[in-house]
Amino acid sequence: MRAVIAGTGGYLPERSISNDELAAWKGLETSDAWIVERTGIRRRHIAAEGETASDMGAKAALAALAQAGASAEEVDAVIVATATPDSAFPSTAARIQGKLGILRGFAFDISAACTGFVYALGVADAMIRCGQARGVLVVGTEVFSRILDWSDRATCVLFGDGAGAVFLRALPEARAEGRGVLSTHLHADGRYGDILTVDGGAGSTGTCGVVRMAGREVFKHAVTKLASAVDEALAAHGLAKEQVAWLVPHQANIRIIEAMGRKLGLPMSRVVVTVDRHANTSAASIPLALAEATRDGRISHGDLVLMEGIGGGLTWGAALARF
Ligand code: ACO
């Protein structure tokens, strides 16, 4: 059994603000030039007051179902990757299930920060392969604007809000055709938890806390760990890097993305980039980029797509899928 990405969807809050607008709004001592040079970020979307991860995730999920031509009855499971859930419980996944009127199956959240979508894809793929589910909604949705220290210019300029989703469908014939999710490669090393963390939580401080990051340390880990995850994914299938049609990386920083493109020998025209317009939307960034590139026709039937990401935990991973 293979899990095929039958539909993709994305949702971005209406409000989009430039670096200059952000600096003026929050009174930050920064500049568009500094942010663009270090990160490639020019704009980000910010959720409206009261707009939550489940609101945005439900919209992205609906779009993915519509593109797949799937109804609510086809959904056996909703798996949501988020670091900014509406509440500790119910899970954001259960809330999305309810909002979409899905009356069967099961729903749960995954916590792996910016690697959350790759983790959720891995869990969904495993469930489909072993026959536990036939149709799975995998959603990444984040409102990082609610967990930022807006006086810390080194972190608050980096993130944005949004949601992305894919609908995975079990398709037995996909195996013979070489289509579907080929594999996922998941990693964590908790020794480095402190270099990218949220400094509070329901079970510790009783508040949700804000993002703290040792930027340079994270950067160093990102380049080496993502490179090894990418090698691992290709080696698992005896694939050469030339066979990759599209790289859809986690969108944290254009310099990390370009380094991965160079490693694979891919021109930037074969790398899907949204970080300039979305900033880092954590677990939402890969499915948002996938939605953009499948809907505008860049990624098409038969294309081999490599996804990779790294985030708090540290967690990191890669996934290969043929569309
Ligand atoms: N505007 C202007 N100056 C700033 C800003 C800002 N927004 N932020 C920091 N600075 C200043 C610092 O105060 C420091 O000043 P000082 O030298 O007077 O002390 C100077 O710029 C350099 O600071 P660094 O933190 O060393 O800057 P660096 O060149 O490392 O860039 C950055 C910071 C962009 C965060 C970089 O380290 C990076 O990209 N790291 C990767 C981390 C990342 O992408 N994280 C996202 C979440 S994790 C993930 O998704 C992978």
Side-chain angles (χ1 to χ4, degrees):
M1 192 59 80
R2 277 276 173 85
V4 166
I5 299 179
T8 62
Y11 171 81
L12 290 159
E14 202 178 318
R15 185 176 180 206
S16 161
I17 58 171
S18 68
N19 292 336
D20 284 338
E21 286 163 337
L22 179 70
W25 178 35
K26 297 293 181 184
L28 297 171
E29 248 186 73
T30 186
S31 68
D32 178 60
W34 192 98
I35 300 169
V36 173
E37 190 194 320
R38 299 286 203 299
T39 70
I41 295 166
R42 294 178 186 275
R43 314 184 64 82
R44 78 282 295 137
H45 290 256
I46 302 286
E49 209 181 324
E51 189 172 38
T52 65
S54 71
D55 294 332
M56 297 193 298
K59 287 179 180 156
L62 259 185
L65 286 177
Q67 199 191 45
S71 64
E73 289 77 56
E74 231 193 290
V75 181
D76 297 319
V78 181
I79 304 179
V80 172
T82 185
T84 48
D86 298 15
S87 54
F89 62 85
S91 66
T92 301
R95 288 178 189 270
I96 290 174
Q97 189 206 34
K99 283 177 181 170
L100 296 188
I102 299 168
L103 302 176
R104 47 184 293 279
F106 55 95
F108 62 94
D109 289 359
I110 281 184
S111 168
C114 300
T115 323
F117 179 76
V118 179
Y119 268 56
L121 192 68
V123 172
D125 177 46
M127 287 185 149
I128 286 177
R129 280 176 193 262
C130 76
Q132 198 166 3
R134 295 186 61 81
V136 184
L137 263 175
V138 181
V139 183
T141 181
E142 303 280 16
V143 270
F144 259 58
S145 61
R146 302 231 167 85
I147 58 162
L148 296 174
D149 174 353
W150 288 104
S151 65
D152 176 11
R153 64 182 182 173
T155 54
C156 73
V157 301
L158 303 175
F159 296 92
D161 301 334
V166 299
F167 180 64
L168 293 181
R169 187 182 268 140
L171 211 64
E173 63 269 29
R175 191 180 175 84
E177 296 167 5
R179 283 180 66 214
V181 177
L182 304 189
S183 61
T184 54
H185 304 268
L186 311 180
H187 295 278
D189 188 338
R191 288 175 302 170
Y192 299 111
D194 287 344
I195 67 171
L196 179 53
T197 184
V198 172
D199 64 2
S204 54
T205 57
T207 62
C208 73
V210 290
V211 175
R212 301 287 176 211
M213 180 178 69
R216 290 202 169 198
E217 285 298 299
V218 173
F219 195 98
K220 279 188 253 164
H221 283 287
V223 175
T224 54
K225 289 184 164 53
L226 289 175
S228 74
V230 161
D231 284 341
E232 186 188 344
L234 293 175
H237 303 278
L239 288 163
K241 55 189 186 181
E242 294 74 30
Q243 291 170 274
V244 175
W246 291 99
L247 175 65
V248 183
H250 168 48
Q251 310 280 324
N253 184 306
I254 194 68
R255 291 183 298 154
I256 299 173
I257 294 172
E258 285 170 350
M260 287 306 117
R262 275 196 302 276
K263 177 178 167 51
L264 290 164
L266 281 175
M268 284 307 284
S269 57
R270 307 300 282 179
V271 181
V272 180
V273 175
T274 60
V275 71
D276 52 333
R277 289 158 290 131
H278 301 177
N280 182 348
T281 56
S282 188
S285 88
I286 294 176
L288 262 170
L290 267 183
E292 190 173 287
T294 49
R295 283 161 177 270
D296 67 17
R298 272 179 288 172
I299 296 177
S300 56
H301 191 82
D303 282 350
L304 182 66
V305 174
L306 179 56
M307 296 161 258
E308 42 83 345
I310 182 164
L314 285 179
T315 54
W316 67 100
L320 267 175
R322 195 179 295 279
F323 275 70

